Amino acid sequence: MKRLSRYRRHKAAAPLLLVIALLAIGTTFSVASATVKQSPTTFARSAAIDEGKQLFLKGCSSCHGLNAEGGAIAPSLIGVGAASVDFQVGTGRMPMADMSTQAMRKAPVYNAEQTSALAAYVASLAPGPAIPEDSVLNYERDGNTAEGGELFRNNCAMCHNFAGQGGALTQGKYAPTLMGVEPKHIYEALITGPQSMPVFSDKTITPAEKLSIIKWIKAAEKEPNLGGASLGRVGPVTEGLLGWILGLGLLIGVAVWLATKAR
Amino acid sequence: MSNEIEAIQDPGLPAHVHREADVDPIAEKRAERQVAILFAISALGTLLLIYSYVFVPQDLFIFVPVMGDQNAHQLGLGLGMAISLFFIGMGAIQWARTLMPDTEVVAHRHEFRSPENEREDFVKTVKERAGTAGLGRRSLIKKSLGAALGLSALTPLLLLRDLGPVPSKELEKTSWKSGTRLVTDPGNRPILASDLEVGAVAQVLPAIAEGTERALSDIGKDAVLLIRLRPSDFQLTPEKFAMTHDGIIAFSKICSHMGCAVALYEQQTKHLLCPCHQSTFDVTRGAKVIFGPAARPLPQLDITIDSEGYLIARAPFSEPVGPSFWERNSQ
Amino acid sequence: MTKAEKTLGSVANYVDERTGAAAWMKKNLTKVFPDHWSFMLGEVCLYSFVILLLSGTFLTFWFDPSQREVTYEGTYAPLQGLKMSAAYASTLHISFEVRGGLLMRQIHHWAAIIFMAAIVGHLLRVFFTGAFRKPREFNWILGVGLLTLGIVEGFLGYSLPDDLLSGTGIRIAEAIIQALPVVGSYLAFFAFGGAFPGESFIPRIFTVHVLLLPGAFLALITIHLMLVWYQKHTQFPGPGRTEKNVVGYPLMPTYMAKAGGFFFIVFGVIAFLSAVASINPIWLYGPYTPGQISAGSQPDWYMGWLDGLVRMAPPLETHAFGHTISWNILIPGLIVPGILFTGMALYPFIESWFTGDKREHHLLDRPRNAPNRTALGVMSLTFMMVSLINGGNDIIATHFSMTINQIMWGTRIGIFVLPPLAFIITKRLCLSLQRADRDLVLHGTETGRLLRLAHGEFVEVHAPISAEKAWTLTSHEQLPALELSETDSRGVRRPGGIKNKLRLRLSKAHAVAVPKVSADDLKEIEHH
């Protein structure tokens, strides 16, 4: 799988990719529905696509167009791939509640089955990045925390902050916090580049390196506070605020007590 | 104004009011007990500190409401120390407030200025003494002393000279040469043009010989950000467009303002943002500054591919990277 | 006589027989210190400085100020196997392997935060109460010097661990040095021993941080305190308090116990902060390399205003004759702070120049009774606050759903508009408070009791205030503005006409006041 994905952007590999994508969707679908353990039949696949299309027409087409060709306020979804759909819908970003701000993480509107149907439908329009399989996502086994930290600081920290807490972008956009994001969704974001985020190609950051990044993020998420309350892990701003309010505040409080005459 | 009108009179120090502990033996005993209790709490704090140091393992974590999981060792040491010190202070202050004399005392102040005659005498003496040295008359001595003192100030400047080399052309050079391959940072893998999808970025450095190490001072000038757009997205001059390859454009990652790494690339707006001072660069227009304090676009690296299809630099940077300096020719 | 008293008595005897200092010591043991909470701010500075010395010494036992590259093999798993400088690795060692090391690191950093905050608090107290006036101008200048040194010392300390955040700070400092016209690149190369970051900078600033600057601090603090001791402390106006006396508690034992106890309070509060709140978690930042950066890279708060000014600067550079001058760095990074700090240091002399007041002052002003000065202080404070807010604009943007562009433009405009506005509002507020004081002295306090007069009208009964209070509210001086004629006694125009005009205008602005109540006013009201 790893070797295959290296040549994913190769023109000749496009049909192959489609098959892989469909296989992946099928697998996810079967896991989600937990009924069929075998590879899905062609019938099941097209049923998922049909169901996805129905969901799409109802919930997405008003912005993305009847054939996902995009519109004035929403991009075309042709060729974005199943991974993109799984990320956007699976993290609740799509459908968007409020068009004025950037799509934010919230409780998903569609359940797992519906999400994979939507993904199957969008993936059927044109080839694009597939949803990574669970076997690919074994970051505990295949990742390296220290290496992941270095990659994170090189490629992610500038937007998501040194501890993955998120940060500001231009014009009110922001890089969201990475705490509590599913590994699959982090992986999908890296390969699809949702919203403001750029794409991180498998050649410049290999799948193994991506797993290292995920492992580091998960380690940062689990890391207990070693030196006291974390103050949001956003650096010196909250530290200064606490120093003035709690530190100097307490000292002035005692000074006032010290200077008042006892009864 | 205030001289002509009669001002309100100073009623003088208010009468001393006795504290409870001054007049009531029971209150006095109570105050004594309070102070002793405060000191005892401090002693307990020190015990907590000793216990935490000796018995609490460094990898034990406990859940504390509001604060989350906390390292028990660190928290015990810190709280123990805080309690032990804070309550010594509280005890001492409470002792002073309740039991030590609290009658306000008046001390007199004298004007700092000496009596007129004494001061005049002093000023006169200074003038006389200065006169005997002939400071005013002997201008040759004065001038030569000034020159000597001024010259001697050169000594420390001279002695500090060997702190570092002169910059010569160091600030204007990077490791990028014609034909240098672009490799990933970290990883040092060469990059094919086809490795980058539209919308992809990569942090790159110049390839180095096998087995050699990069100096941080090289990274500080060589770091480059690769971005792939659709060629139709660019609004570049023909020369700048010729420096791109198939939609891939390369900029120095070192901010032209103060040298932070500019790598916040927004795929949709195609803007680069520097997290230090929020200078914003428009990638489609050759990293033109569209917001913030930076005054120059990020230098663009001329790239192409070699015979094997790997991305290489066609030419070194045509201008110095990083923040401005006096010798920089920016025209 | 108890045993303790006897022992202390013999000690006193022993000391005098060897120094002959009996008279001097006796005088100083009964030295009087006025009591007010705001007088403790200076002590917070002094005590946190002592705590900084103690905790800093502890840290030097393990800290390795070297930029030599090492591979981390300590206990913190997420960094194991990474290449980093010895400075960073040894800071990790202090944090994770030395028991109590992390606590001491946090104490050192929190003490620095409190030290700087208390210096600013102390400075504001001295400014707003006019404690800097003759004869204390020199001590004011020492204070401004200490504040400046504190900013530099704090920045160097923040830079020492060589983590990603501190490296970014050094990078910016290097850019400021490099931006100096003519000599910039040379100075930068000398300071860094070559190209940035090199391997010399951290060992060098370590020496400055632990030896040179603490030495300078000790010297300046000693002179600062000796002057306070010698000139005696100022006091707030009140009954029995005059320019010729000082009212308070004697050094031994009351003030000794209070001030000594307060040292432990300061240490305790700093230890408490260090126990419950993480500060500068360098293991999360990672080691420094110039190609990396974190979102929301900020300096500590006392440098934040400077960073905010740099952020809001316009993109100005002069390119001419093959040279570059970076106004976008020089103006916010050097010129504006230079003007601000010079103006601050010279303010006592400026004020005495335009008021023409060359007398000694030991009684403090209530801020409302010097409306012009108070307004000027609030104006400067507003300037600093606007800059500081912009220094944290990215954090504010994400936490309060704003955009960095809005905050940036808001502060770019606000830095010009808000300080003058703050001046006007503060001055009016001060005058209103003076008016309220006047009313209070004339009519007393409202009791809330209503009285029905014979003809049916209701009036509220006012209780007269105490003589003490009346005195406190009216004891301040109200000096008239300077009167300088444009010509001298012979009818010849004075030289420096513009300077004189400016002086007169400032003097006039400074003398604006609501006339305070006189005894005559009170008598008049009694007749009604």
Side-chain angles (χ1 to χ4, degrees):
Chain A
M1 194 67 209
K2 231 189 276 178
R3 285 186 66 83
L4 278 177
S5 65
R6 273 173 94 183
Y7 301 100
R8 193 154 47 78
R9 298 315 296 165
H10 204 272
K11 275 173 197 156
L16 187 66
L17 265 168
L18 177 61
V19 177
I20 294 166
L22 292 176
L23 270 174
I25 298 151
T27 316
T28 323
F29 179 59
S30 66
V31 170
S33 57
T35 48
V36 205
K37 287 275 192 285
Q38 305 295 313
S39 285
T41 61
T42 321
F43 174 74
R45 222 159 37 224
S46 60
I49 292 171
D50 282 347
E51 192 201 337
K53 181 158 190 180
Q54 291 313 313
L55 287 167
F56 185 88
L57 288 174
K58 241 182 274 167
C60 320
S61 61
S62 57
C63 299
H64 288 287
L66 289 172
N67 298 306
E69 74 279 13
I73 49 166
S76 160
L77 299 183
I78 295 165
V80 299
S84 190
V85 177
D86 190 56
F87 174 82
Q88 300 282 1
V89 179
T91 59
R93 283 181 169 79
M94 291 292 152
M96 261 174 107
D98 178 1
M99 303 293 282
S100 62
T101 53
Q102 86 184 50
M104 51 183 144
R105 200 163 116 206
K106 54 183 185 290
V109 173
Y110 297 103
N111 63 26
E113 196 183 329
Q114 291 166 323
T115 306
S116 49
L118 276 170
Y121 167 66
V122 171
S124 74
L125 300 172
I131 300 169
E133 286 176 59
D134 283 351
S135 61
V136 178
L137 288 174
N138 195 340
Y139 63 89
E140 285 296 352
R141 184 191 60 200
D142 301 332
N144 173 317
T145 317
E147 186 195 272
E150 203 179 0
L151 285 157
F152 185 89
R153 288 187 287 277
N154 238 332
N155 292 287
C156 320
M158 64 282 243
C159 300
H160 292 284
N161 137 314
F162 58 87
Q165 301 290 326
L169 300 175
T170 65
Q171 307 292 353
K173 296 185 290 296
Y174 60 90
T177 171
L178 302 177
M179 299 297 103
V181 182
E182 272 182 53
K184 181 176 74 163
H185 291 146
I186 299 175
Y187 197 98
E188 287 166 349
L190 282 164
I191 57 174
T192 62
Q195 271 96 36
S196 293
M197 182 164 161
V199 178
F200 293 91
S201 311
D202 276 352
K203 287 301 172 47
T204 51
I205 298 183
T206 63
E209 288 179 331
K210 289 189 169 102
L211 292 181
S212 295
I213 293 178
I214 294 173
K215 190 171 182 184
W216 185 86
I217 294 173
K218 289 292 145 192
E221 191 176 291
K222 278 193 300 250
E223 184 172 303
N225 298 316
L226 297 164
S230 69
L231 308 186
R233 289 186 183 166
V234 291
V237 173
T238 44
E239 295 166 0
L241 206 60
L242 190 79
W244 269 93
I245 294 171
L246 187 63
L248 207 61
L250 271 174
L251 289 171
I252 289 177
V254 176
V256 168
W257 172 72
L258 176 151
T260 43
K261 192 176 155 76
R263 273 192 302 120
Chain B
M1 200 160 84
S2 50
N3 298 342
E4 298 149 26
I5 303 166
E6 192 193 342
I8 291 172
Q9 289 302 307
D10 182 1
L13 267 188
H16 179 63
V17 180
H18 285 294
R19 295 165 296 189
E20 280 176 9
D22 295 331
V23 288
D24 180 2
I26 299 172
E28 190 189 347
K29 276 280 164 220
R30 189 170 59 223
E32 199 181 333
R33 260 197 323 273
Q34 279 170 354
V35 174
I37 288 171
L38 289 170
F39 286 145
I41 296 175
S42 156
L44 289 179
T46 310
L47 289 182
L48 173 63
L49 178 111
I50 295 169
Y51 176 81
S52 305
Y53 192 91
V54 180
F55 297 108
V56 179
Q58 271 177 283
D59 52 2
L60 177 69
F61 287 89
I62 50 166
F63 179 79
V64 181
V66 185
M67 292 162 65
D69 278 338
Q70 296 294 321
N71 184 298
H73 178 78
Q74 150 85 7
L75 194 65
L77 279 182
L79 284 181
M81 191 167 169
I83 292 168
S84 107
L85 294 165
F86 187 79
F87 284 95
I88 290 181
M90 292 298 275
I93 294 172
Q94 181 67 353
W95 183 7
R97 285 178 78 243
T98 53
L99 295 168
M100 289 183 189
D102 83 326
T103 322
E104 283 190 312
V105 182
V106 180
H108 290 285
R109 253 186 228 281
H110 312 282
E111 209 183 3
F112 285 107
R113 193 185 159 100
S114 304
E116 210 63 20
N117 54 344
E118 238 175 75
R119 200 167 44 85
E120 265 165 26
D121 196 35
F122 169 61
V123 172
K124 209 176 104 212
T125 315
V126 170
K127 281 182 185 160
E128 266 174 24
R129 297 286 106 192
T132 53
L135 269 179
R137 281 171 290 124
R138 303 190 204 283
S139 67
L140 183 64
I141 291 186
K142 214 161 73 180
K143 279 176 190 159
S144 54
L145 174 65
L149 279 175
L151 266 178
S152 72
L154 287 176
T155 315
L157 288 184
L158 199 67
L159 291 178
L160 287 174
R161 163 62 193 89
D162 276 349
L163 275 175
V166 291
S168 59
K169 293 282 167 199
E170 261 311 288
L171 284 169
E172 294 166 28
K173 284 188 299 197
T174 66
S175 314
W176 292 103
K177 293 190 177 55
S178 180
T180 310
R181 271 190 184 166
L182 281 65
V183 296
T184 58
D185 171 32
N188 289 327
R189 296 183 300 270
I191 302 166
L192 290 166
S194 58
D195 287 348
L196 295 170
E197 294 98 328
V198 168
V201 295
Q203 325 282 333
V204 296
L205 287 170
I208 46 165
E210 196 83 15
T212 53
E213 294 258 331
R214 273 181 217 284
L216 288 185
S217 44
D218 287 336
I219 299 178
K221 287 187 292 185
D222 295 343
V224 160
L225 186 68
L226 273 188
I227 306 168
R228 184 162 197 167
L229 283 70
R230 284 184 192 83
S232 59
D233 288 334
F234 287 124
Q235 306 165 33
L236 298 169
T237 59
E239 308 91 75
K240 291 251 174 185
F241 187 76
M243 289 161 77
T244 66
H245 174 80
D246 203 11
I248 302 176
I249 191 164
F251 291 112
S252 165
K253 208 162 92 176
I254 309 302
C255 188
S256 62
H257 177 222
M258 286 179 127
C260 293
V262 190
L264 280 78
Y265 176 61
E266 298 180 0
Q267 201 212 143
Q268 285 177 337
T269 55
K270 304 184 173 55
H271 292 166
L272 267 169
L273 172 72
C274 177
C276 287
H277 303 105
Q278 279 111 35
S279 299
T280 312
F281 305 87
D282 186 352
V283 170
T284 60
R285 285 184 284 169
K288 183 178 177 263
V289 182
I290 53 170
F291 189 75
R296 288 180 287 105
L298 298 169
Q300 188 183 340
L301 184 67
D302 189 356
I303 53 167
T304 183
I305 50 170
D306 63 10
S307 53
E308 292 171 63
Y310 289 111
L311 288 168
I312 55 166
R314 195 190 337 244
F317 277 109
S318 61
E319 55 179 322
V321 302
S324 297
F325 50 95
W326 171 251
E327 294 88 351
R328 188 183 200 281
N329 189 349
S330 311
Q331 272 159 323
Chain C
M1 198 188 287
T2 65
K3 195 158 171 255
E5 285 162 24
K6 256 188 208 157
T7 317
L8 282 175
S10 343
V11 169
N13 196 46
Y14 184 93
V15 170
D16 180 66
E17 283 186 5
R18 279 150 190 84
T19 59
W24 184 82
M25 301 245 277
K26 185 184 157 223
K27 200 175 112 207
N28 281 306
L29 282 180
T30 52
K31 194 171 179 65
V32 171
F33 284 90
D35 224 5
H36 191 270
W37 68 265
S38 67
F39 298 165
M40 305 307 283
L41 285 166
E43 292 195 22
V44 178
C45 306
L46 176 67
Y47 298 150
S48 38
F49 177 71
V50 174
I51 296 162
L52 283 165
L53 281 185
L54 295 176
S55 56
T57 306
F58 179 93
L59 296 178
T60 59
F61 295 156
W62 291 275
F63 181 65
D64 179 3
S66 155
Q67 279 170 291
R68 165 175 54 85
E69 193 177 81
V70 297
T71 305
Y72 181 64
E73 279 154 2
T75 49
Y76 184 67
L79 290 172
Q80 274 161 4
L82 285 191
K83 296 222 166 89
M84 56 183 63
S85 67
Y88 185 67
S90 61
T91 314
L92 291 173
H93 175 70
I94 295 172
S95 305
F96 296 125
E97 279 119 65
V98 178
R99 273 181 290 176
L102 180 57
L103 182 68
M104 286 311 251
R105 256 197 67 222
Q106 303 206 131
I107 285 179
H108 195 65
H109 206 133
W110 278 121
I113 299 274
I114 299 286
F115 179 57
M116 293 307 296
I119 289 182
V120 171
H122 180 52
L123 179 132
L124 293 177
R125 197 281 293 168
V126 168
F127 182 82
F128 285 118
T129 58
F132 55 80
R133 289 173 297 172
K134 190 180 173 186
R136 296 184 178 77
E137 306 99 319
F138 186 60
N139 233 9
W140 167 263
I141 291 180
L142 284 180
V144 174
L146 283 164
L147 168 67
T148 318
L149 279 187
I151 292 174
V152 177
E153 178 75 339
F155 176 73
L156 295 184
Y158 161 99
S159 301
L160 280 176
D162 204 21
D163 56 276
L164 187 52
L165 189 61
S166 68
T168 304
I170 300 177
R171 170 80 253 200
I172 292 169
E174 195 269 352
I176 295 178
I177 301 175
Q178 199 176 298
L180 288 169
V182 189
V183 292
S185 52
Y186 284 83
L187 286 187
F189 264 63
F190 292 165
F192 286 81
F196 172 85
E199 292 207 341
S200 316
F201 194 64
I202 285 179
R204 285 174 184 174
I205 60 170
F206 178 72
T207 315
V208 177
H209 181 79
V210 305
L211 180 72
L212 188 64
L213 289 185
F217 264 113
L218 270 178
L220 291 184
I221 290 175
T222 308
I223 306 173
H224 197 74
L225 289 181
M226 277 167 65
L227 277 170
V228 172
W229 193 276
Y230 182 70
Q231 294 180 329
K232 298 198 178 83
H233 209 287
T234 51
Q235 59 189 352
F236 276 101
R241 279 142 223 256
T242 68
E243 293 281 9
K244 300 259 176 231
N245 72 9
V246 51
V247 181
Y249 299 114
L251 175 69
M252 189 170 168
T254 314
Y255 196 74
M256 238 180 211
K258 281 189 174 182
F262 200 61
F263 168 75
F264 288 94
I265 297 281
V266 176
F267 210 157
V269 166
I270 288 172
F272 173 71
L273 277 177
S274 313
V276 299
S278 175
I279 190 164
N280 203 20
I282 50 122
W283 55 91
L284 289 171
Y285 296 147
Y288 179 66
T289 110
Q292 298 177 354
I293 189 96
S294 164
S297 287
Q298 322 275 359
D300 276 343
W301 76 264
Y302 46 84
M303 292 280 283
W305 60 277
L306 208 55
D307 203 44
L309 281 175
V310 172
R311 286 178 185 198
M312 72 174 84
L316 279 181
E317 270 187 0
T318 303
H319 304 152
F321 309 111
H323 292 291
T324 301
I325 305 176
S326 311
W327 299 111
N328 51 355
I329 296 176
L330 292 173
I331 294 176
L334 293 168
I335 298 173
V336 172
I339 293 172
L340 282 174
F341 274 63
T342 312
M344 181 158 71
L346 296 181
Y347 184 74
F349 306 101
I350 299 171
E351 192 185 289
S352 103
W353 171 67
F354 66 69
T355 55
D357 187 353
K358 311 283 180 213
R359 298 163 307 157
E360 285 182 14
H361 290 280
H362 303 289
L363 275 179
L364 297 172
D365 278 331
R366 295 171 75 223
R368 68 184 64 174
N369 291 335
N372 215 53
R373 182 201 297 142
T374 306
L376 188 71
V378 176
M379 180 169 116
S380 317
L381 209 56
T382 310
F383 181 91
M384 287 293 178
M385 282 308 292
V386 172
S387 316
L388 188 61
I389 285 170
N390 200 41
N393 61 5
D394 36 1
I395 304 293
I396 295 171
T398 47
H399 285 73
F400 297 96
S401 303
M402 294 167 86
T403 80
I404 47 177
N405 308 66
Q406 282 168 352
I407 302 176
M408 193 85 106
W409 274 112
T411 52
R412 274 175 175 180
I413 298 166
I415 202 87
F416 291 106
V417 175
L418 293 179
L421 208 61
F423 182 91
I424 295 167
I425 294 173
T426 311
K427 194 159 179 182
R428 299 222 154 186
L429 209 62
C430 286
L431 291 172
S432 306
L433 287 169
Q434 285 188 12
R435 213 164 286 129
D437 281 354
R438 187 183 159 85
D439 285 349
L440 192 61
V441 178
L442 282 179
H443 306 299
T445 51
E446 295 166 357
T447 56
R449 277 191 296 124
L450 287 181
L451 198 67
R452 192 173 167 199
L453 301 181
H455 55 275
E457 188 193 340
F458 282 97
V459 292
E460 190 182 4
V461 178
H462 283 239
I465 55 171
S466 65
E468 279 85 13
K469 182 110 197 210
W471 166 249
T472 308
L473 295 182
T474 57
S475 62
H476 60 283
E477 271 189 326
Q478 292 188 321
L479 285 182
L482 278 184
E483 284 178 42
L484 289 175
S485 54
E486 284 194 20
T487 51
D488 66 11
S489 53
R490 279 182 235 153
V492 182
R493 271 183 76 86
R494 284 170 186 275
I498 297 171
K499 220 173 101 185
N500 270 333
K501 250 185 200 152
L502 178 71
R503 191 179 174 193
L504 280 177
R505 283 196 68 155
L506 287 172
S507 171
K508 217 165 149 187
H510 203 77
V512 174
V514 176
K516 62 176 189 179
V517 182
S518 67
D520 296 340
D521 292 334
L522 280 179
K523 271 178 210 149
E524 206 171 296
I525 229 167
E526 268 171 39
H527 288 300
H528 281 297

